[in-house]
Amino acid sequence: MASGQAGFGMTEGFGPQQPGFHIGKHDSARDVPLTELQYGHLLNQGISFVTTPVTNGHFKSRVFKLVSDHLSLLDESGEAGTTTVTSSRAQPILPPLTPEDTGLFPSAAVNTYTAYISPWIDLCSTDPIIAGISRQVLNLELNYANFCGVRSIIIAGPSRDASKDGGNQGLAQYARAVQEALAIGSCLSFLIHMPMYREPAVGDQAQTLSSLKAQAAHGTQAKEIDLFGAWDSWHHVRTVCHYNLRLFVALKLPRVMPEKDLQNRWFAEPLHYLTVGPEVFQANKSGFPCFSKHHQEMIFCCMRLKAVPWLLLCDVGPDASQFKADSPSLLAQNRPMTDDDFPSLAQAHAPANVSQRTPTHRGNAHMAYLQWLESQQPPFAALESSTLTSFQDWLQSPLQPLSDNLESATYEVFEGDPVKYDRYEAAAVEALHEWKELGMPTSKKGVVVIAVAGSGRGPLVTRALKAAELTGVPVEVWALEKNPNAYVYLLRQNQTIWGGRVNVVKTDMRAWKGPVVSETAETGPVYGRVDILISELLGSFGDNELSPECLDGIQHVMAKPHGISIPSSYTAHLSPISTPKVHADILARSATEDTAFDTPWVVRLYALDFVCQRAPDHPRFQQAWEFSHPIPESSLDVVRARRSGGVVGGGGGSMAGAAGANDHNSRYCHLTFVCRTRGVIHGLAGYFESTLYESKLEDNEGEKIEISTHPERIDRKSKDMISWFPIFFPLQKPITFPADTELEVSMWRQTDDAKVWYEWLVEAWTWVGPSSRIKVASSDLCSSRKVACLM
């Protein structure tokens, strides 16, 4: 999976590419849709989309009067403060809309609008009258917006977070209202407008229906800001809504950016808009608006997402309110265009240069800054091609290489990663060089016998031949492949590329008896041994595509005691993660796929949050287990004995109905991760590292040629390698945990001699004293046995 051959590279001839900004405009004071003239003015200023109110001030006045009259009636009857259960009066019913209540009507442009539900409703109110009317307004407005042709709806986020002042009750009502709205607007996308965190309020607060209550103030202002409070509220809402794929976040950027842990938490969420208010802009030395360095970094990071969030300017940027129906034509405000406004042919064909790109000043300082900021983004790297970006957080079923025959296109994708094959070639070169330097005996006189097990279309065979040429060591190469279609391709490669220097064998590597040394009619073939065995059987978790079982099955052909296996060892690594997008996708699949939550998915995890922190003896990524090759002969002897039943008790293994011949490849680990901040985990991310070859020369003994997908070590060991995406072990029920929690992960690699599968369990523990702790959450025991990898 890489550039070049497999089509993963950047498009040539177009110069450096960068993410593009889609900028929108929201005016909270406007209560009527834009006119065509006003909309055109904003488009000319560089705005791509706008929001629109659904109803106007006339409707707001009607609703406020309705609620005020009803509250007054309750006061007069002495029923103020009662609930709908104890009150004898029914809640007021909202009358239908009239033409005087809205300026939004079906038109050619309306489906480009994003409707903003009236922000003066209070779905979080603990007063049943206000909460009920707010829900009615929400449903009425989204129904009418849907009728007019609007496709996206923004709802103001909860007015408060969970607290002792009724926050839990308010959040529950808010979440229930959104869940109902999703059912009513079944074709609409919903955006919850959430702050990144609750900054201290400045200035007058917006008037809402709750302002009609004398006790409108909600508790006292907290002395300390709870950074994760707003995220908690969003998490509560989307959990109640079952991670609906039509539910997104419009994230309000704060004036002061918070710590990285909170930024990473929001980065993992389904961001659709990043909203920017006037308070976010700062004045530079020249007095022009700009963002802080921290704001720029977050925006640049979010622009790398597959679903690029759009920027929404709120009450800042170009103003369309001055353009009335009788305003002069927009075209008349600019001079006529001439030939000087267009580049010459020579200029048009000149290569693109990012440093020379100058944004067009469109008459608004904020827009001019954003256009400049867009040009300052780092160009896409080689690993950020459009093809690779399309794999972000996209679920892929793990391969079944032993039971399935792969297609040519799949092999071609694997072959497109030059980093992997460069590392394999380096390992082969070092092994041959040291074989020559140490004067080790060969299994066939005069040549080193190399076998490539699972050759596919032959890239490792090519690299083995090249390594022999570079070292000047004569070799005899055998290419083994069970796929009958790939076997035909290998034969052709041997004719056209390798010059007949390779012995191609169609066989399952575990059934191969070794290279044929001689053959007579009387005695039949005589089999020899292999000096260097090369394979690329590794999966995203190292052993998940049965590399241990395959290499065990072919080990008997390796020369003793000097036989070399490339790779010689590999380790699996785990880390708990929060990945709402992937969880939502699996949840949606589970409606039709019974095994959706049982499958260890291969995913290019991108929009994720590593919830744990580095702590003494508890790193963020921890090793689960290790496999080494070749395994001791004593282990092979036990395998043979168990298969033949030649052990005490008949050779019954640990798994029911199995001989236990593969039990030596079972594994178990118990890992503890430390989480400083509260959060949620949706599963476990799996990675691997492999030592292809470890030097035996005294001068550089212990030096290793390695490959790795470990996020903290990949750049050091195999930078830009993309042959393997991480593996994801999902939890059917996400685990929400408090701050200062320890997550304990138990994982098993299980086998019954016919297949291999994984089982995993996650528990959350929190300390309640210096030496005592309690379990606050636990997952079910998850198992991939139903989708086990067949041996």
Side-chain angles (χ1 to χ4, degrees), residues 691-755:
T691 298
L692 299 179
Y693 184 76
E694 184 173 351
S695 177
K696 298 180 177 63
L697 291 177
E698 291 184 1
D699 294 342
N700 55 354
E701 186 173 357
E703 289 189 11
K704 300 176 180 178
I705 298 173
E706 299 174 282
I707 55 177
S708 173
T709 64
H710 190 298
E712 294 178 339
R713 299 200 280 255
I714 184 173
D715 285 350
R716 177 164 52 89
K717 297 184 177 182
S718 49
K719 182 176 174 58
D720 292 342
M721 184 183 70
I722 53 171
S723 284
W724 292 275
F725 294 156
I727 197 167
F728 179 65
F729 298 93
L731 301 180
Q732 186 166 7
K733 297 178 180 178
I735 292 179
T736 302
F737 54 87
D740 298 320
T741 291
E742 291 184 344
L743 295 175
E744 297 202 353
V745 176
S746 299
M747 178 168 274
W748 297 261
R749 187 184 197 264
Q750 301 281 36
T751 178
D752 63 359
D753 295 351
K755 55 185 176 293

Side-chain angles (χ1 to χ4, degrees), residues 200 222 311 369 538 580 679 696 722 770:
L311 298 176
Y369 172 72
L538 299 172
K696 298 180 177 63
I722 53 171

Side-chain angles (χ1 to χ4, degrees), residues 467-754:
E469 294 172 1
L470 292 173
T471 57
V473 177
V475 298
E476 178 181 287
V477 179
W478 292 76
L480 316 178
E481 179 55 50
K482 73 172 185 62
N483 186 339
N485 307 306
Y487 170 70
V488 176
Y489 189 90
L490 289 172
L491 291 175
R492 183 175 181 275
Q493 288 289 92
N494 198 26
Q495 292 172 350
T496 60
I497 305 297
W498 303 326
R501 292 177 293 167
V502 178
N503 303 283
V504 182
V505 182
K506 180 192 173 299
T507 181
D508 185 317
M509 69 183 73
R510 296 169 295 179
W512 191 50
K513 295 181 179 180
V516 177
V517 176
S518 62
E519 185 173 6
T520 63
E522 293 79 12
T523 61
V526 176
Y527 299 102
R529 291 288 180 263
V530 170
D531 299 315
I532 300 178
L533 178 66
I534 305 176
S535 65
E536 53 174 335
L537 307 171
L538 299 172
S540 295
F541 203 45
D543 56 81
N544 62 296
E545 293 184 9
L546 304 191
S547 177
E549 286 72 20
C550 292
L551 294 182
D552 285 355
I554 197 176
Q555 181 175 320
H556 66 279
V557 306
M558 293 182 64
K560 302 177 182 64
H562 302 298
I564 294 173
S565 172
I566 299 176
S568 62
S569 65
Y570 35 93
T571 53
H573 301 259
L574 289 171
S575 184
I577 64 170
S578 173
T579 174
K581 295 179 182 178
V582 173
H583 177 79
D585 195 359
I586 298 175
L587 189 63
R589 284 176 179 246
S590 66
T592 55
E593 298 179 26
D594 293 339
T595 58
F597 279 104
D598 301 326
T599 302
W601 297 96
V602 174
V603 192
R604 190 192 179 199
L605 296 168
Y606 195 83
L608 81 161
D609 178 26
F610 294 108
V611 297
C612 56
Q613 282 76 35
R614 300 178 186 89
D617 300 322
H618 299 295
R620 178 174 283 187
F621 304 92
Q622 298 185 31
Q623 180 176 319
W625 48 65
E626 180 179 13
F627 288 91
S628 298
H629 302 286
I631 64 174
E633 278 298 312
S634 58
S635 297
L636 282 184
D637 291 339
V638 172
V639 171
R640 297 187 191 102
R642 286 185 170 179
R643 284 177 177 162
S644 64
V647 295
V648 176
S654 59
M655 302 302 298
N662 196 40
D663 279 6
H664 65 289
N665 285 325
S666 297
R667 293 290 189 273
Y668 167 70
C669 69
H670 186 82
L671 310 173
T672 301
F673 299 87
V674 177
C675 302
R676 181 176 64 86
T677 59
R678 64 185 184 267
V680 60
I681 69 166
H682 300 96
L684 307 170
Y687 306 89
F688 81 92
E689 293 191 297
S690 176
T691 298
L692 299 179
Y693 184 76
E694 184 173 351
S695 177
K696 298 180 177 63
L697 291 177
E698 291 184 1
D699 294 342
N700 55 354
E701 186 173 357
E703 289 189 11
K704 300 176 180 178
I705 298 173
E706 299 174 282
I707 55 177
S708 173
T709 64
H710 190 298
E712 294 178 339
R713 299 200 280 255
I714 184 173
D715 285 350
R716 177 164 52 89
K717 297 184 177 182
S718 49
K719 182 176 174 58
D720 292 342
M721 184 183 70
I722 53 171
S723 284
W724 292 275
F725 294 156
I727 197 167
F728 179 65
F729 298 93
L731 301 180
Q732 186 166 7
K733 297 178 180 178
I735 292 179
T736 302
F737 54 87
D740 298 320
T741 291
E742 291 184 344
L743 295 175
E744 297 202 353
V745 176
S746 299
M747 178 168 274
W748 297 261
R749 187 184 197 264
Q750 301 281 36
T751 178
D752 63 359
D753 295 351

Side-chain angles (χ1 to χ4, degrees), residues 63 66-71 74 84 89-95 128-130 132-133 136:
V63 175
L66 178 69
V67 174
S68 179
D69 290 347
H70 191 82
L71 292 177
L74 292 178
T84 53
R89 297 184 183 273
Q91 284 193 2
I93 301 299
L94 202 63
I129 305 299
I130 293 175
I133 287 292
Q136 290 184 54

Side-chain angles (χ1 to χ4, degrees), residues 597-599 757-760 780-787:
F597 279 104
D598 301 326
T599 302
W757 68 95
Y758 298 94
E759 295 176 359
W760 58 100
D780 296 331
L781 178 61
C782 308
S783 174
S784 66
R785 187 166 189 170
K786 292 180 180 179
V787 289

Side-chain angles (χ1 to χ4, degrees), residues 753-769:
D753 295 351
K755 55 185 176 293
V756 172
W757 68 95
Y758 298 94
E759 295 176 359
W760 58 100
L761 174 70
V762 182
E763 302 167 288
W765 297 79
T766 189
W767 291 93
V768 293

